[in-house]
Amino acid sequence: MDASIIVTYRCPMHCQMCNIWDNPSDMAAEFKPGDLEKMPEVSVINITGGEPLVREDLADIVEIAMNRAKRVCVSTSGYYPEKIFALSQKFPRLGFRVSIEGLSLKNDELRGRSGGFDRGLRTLLGLRQMGRKDVGFGITVSNHNSGDMLWLYELSKQLRMEFATAAFHNSFYFHKDDNVITNTEEVIGNFKLLIERLLKENRPKSWFRAFFNLGLINYIRGNRRILPCEAGSENFFIDPFGRILPCNGMEEKYWFESFGNIREINSFEEIWQGPRAEQIRKKVATCPKNCWMIGSVSPVMHKYFRYPLGWVVVSKFWSLLGKCVDIHKIPIYKVGQNSRQGAGVKSA
């Protein structure tokens, strides 16, 4: 399993695609680091927010997470470089992903803070100077920044850093229900260019990232997921109040459930295998949304590896021949998922 720990809903940024900053959590109500001692061992833990670095006890949280997972990564705005450097000094194996929404002016416009791009870049360069290898940045693509996505990708190659992508989503987590990409052809065209550039790289990891970005094109069109959602089985989230959630894409107008609260249990297994868990997984199986976010996609890409692999092998072959990716024939892999999953989302 993979896990994500949402340590806070407090954030210094004022992002246009996310209203967490306008709905901050009460610091006194947030879970204590010791509550995480009940977590099971997992493959990967992503520590996120809000902005994780606003928690003064983040080092205690990281220490527990490092004992629970093979890999731990902090997702951050990069707004607090010195705090990040100090955390990295204490935990050299800790990974970092910095959110950057475009080049300098576009990033600061979309994230609502002047100087945000400079701080993010300073964070990335400082971590690389420290010799850290698990470092990268990513973009959430909206109506305004898909062109900048391609320049950020080129920057990531020059800096030899990881580059991740996401797209507009709505959820309880973001307090948004109007994140809709309207200039679909422009955005899809830029994702197509990104996929073709990724396939030309010599790294297999980039080829599978191309597959993930193909899924984003499919999502933007409003189609069912390429691979099923198995949130709450292959991954889970813990929110700032200790609630254990199947994912961060739920919306109350569809459904919202938690397995229970980590502060109120004796062991994780008692709720992970309990009757409420079974009910939640049935709701996931028939969830009307078609989300394509890395937290729920990465686990199923690993579980159903032969499907992404098949696409990668064929697409890499065509790339070597100088052929373009066919984005009009995106496969939907049937692995026994419920036919109702994603049925409430109409095609664009």
Side-chain angles (χ1 to χ4, degrees), residues 183-201:
N183 57 335
T184 54
E185 292 308 310
E186 177 185 354
V187 173
I188 288 172
N190 284 324
F191 270 119
K192 180 176 183 290
L193 290 172
L194 177 63
I195 289 169
E196 290 170 353
R197 294 181 190 183
L198 287 166
L199 287 170
K200 291 183 184 300
E201 290 191 31

Side-chain angles (χ1 to χ4, degrees), residues 48-313:
T48 184
E51 171 52 66
L53 274 299
V54 302
R55 284 201 59 152
E56 297 299 328
D57 55 0
L58 185 59
D60 297 328
I61 292 172
V62 169
E63 186 167 9
I64 294 171
M66 297 287 277
N67 291 326
R68 293 291 187 279
K70 299 174 183 176
R71 175 176 174 263
V72 179
C73 184
V74 174
S75 295
T76 173
S77 65
Y79 201 70
Y80 301 107
E82 299 308 320
K83 287 186 177 182
I84 291 172
F85 299 153
L87 195 63
S88 181
Q89 190 68 43
K90 186 170 184 177
F91 303 101
R93 291 192 300 109
L94 184 62
F96 290 90
R97 292 295 180 271
V98 176
S99 296
I100 296 180
E101 307 309 331
L103 299 179
S104 180
L105 293 178
K106 181 59 66 176
N107 175 82
D108 292 0
E109 172 193 340
L110 293 179
R111 296 189 70 82
R113 283 280 185 170
S114 61
F117 179 87
D118 291 351
R119 293 192 187 205
L121 186 59
R122 189 181 309 140
T123 295
L124 292 166
L125 295 175
L127 289 169
R128 180 62 84 219
Q129 189 177 42
M130 294 173 71
R132 303 301 181 252
K133 296 181 180 180
D134 191 358
V135 178
F137 57 99
I139 182 174
T140 297
V141 173
S142 64
N143 295 317
H144 313 288
N145 61 350
S146 64
D148 276 16
M149 169 182 69
L150 298 173
W151 289 112
L152 289 177
Y153 164 72
E154 295 299 333
L155 178 62
S156 74
K157 286 206 304 180
Q158 295 298 322
L159 296 177
R160 296 183 179 180
M161 292 182 182
E162 303 296 332
F163 181 65
T165 51
F168 256 173
H169 277 78
N170 296 309
S171 80
F172 81 94
Y173 182 79
F174 307 122
H175 297 274
K176 294 282 286 184
D177 59 8
D178 60 352
N179 280 337
V180 178
I181 290 176
T182 54
N183 57 335
T184 54
E185 292 308 310
E186 177 185 354
V187 173
I188 288 172
N190 284 324
F191 270 119
K192 180 176 183 290
L193 290 172
L194 177 63
I195 289 169
E196 290 170 353
R197 294 181 190 183
L198 287 166
L199 287 170
K200 291 183 184 300
E201 290 191 31
N202 295 323
R203 294 197 315 157
K205 188 173 184 177
S206 295
W207 310 339
F208 286 94
R209 283 212 172 114
F211 177 86
F212 176 80
N213 283 282
L214 184 77
L216 287 176
I217 291 176
N218 185 65
Y219 160 76
I220 292 167
R221 287 176 172 161
N223 297 327
R224 296 176 186 271
R225 287 168 55 120
I226 297 177
L227 290 170
C229 178
E230 296 187 0
S233 296
E234 300 299 321
N235 64 282
F236 64 88
F237 284 72
I238 299 177
D239 79 358
F241 313 114
R243 293 180 299 182
I244 302 168
L245 309 174
C247 73
N248 65 336
M250 291 181 288
E251 294 181 75
E252 291 186 359
K253 67 179 179 181
Y254 296 120
W255 66 284
F256 182 95
E257 296 283 350
S258 83
F259 289 91
N261 196 300
I262 199 165
R263 294 183 289 192
E264 300 169 357
I265 60 175
N266 295 316
S267 70
F268 192 86
E269 289 71 20
E270 73 182 55
I271 63 167
W272 195 246
Q273 305 297 338
R276 185 187 288 186
E278 184 177 350
Q279 295 172 6
I280 289 175
R281 290 178 186 125
K282 286 180 179 178
K283 289 192 174 184
V284 170
T286 58
C287 181
K289 299 190 69 177
N290 70 333
C291 306
W292 191 256
M293 294 187 279
I294 195 64
S296 62
V297 173
S298 177
V300 292
M301 282 183 63
H302 284 91
K303 181 175 180 178
Y304 302 109
F305 181 69
R306 68 188 183 97
Y307 297 108
L309 177 62
W311 182 88
V312 162
V313 169

Side-chain angles (χ1 to χ4, degrees), residues 285-344:
T286 58
C287 181
K289 299 190 69 177
N290 70 333
C291 306
W292 191 256
M293 294 187 279
I294 195 64
S296 62
V297 173
S298 177
V300 292
M301 282 183 63
H302 284 91
K303 181 175 180 178
Y304 302 109
F305 181 69
R306 68 188 183 97
Y307 297 108
L309 177 62
W311 182 88
V312 162
V313 169
V314 172
S315 299
K316 180 62 179 178
F317 174 74
W318 286 114
S319 176
L320 291 171
L321 295 179
K323 304 291 185 180
C324 295
V325 172
D326 187 353
I327 60 171
H328 300 291
K329 295 181 179 179
I330 298 178
I332 306 296
Y333 300 108
K334 296 180 180 180
V335 296
Q337 62 266 48
N338 193 301
S339 61
R340 293 167 61 190
Q341 192 178 74

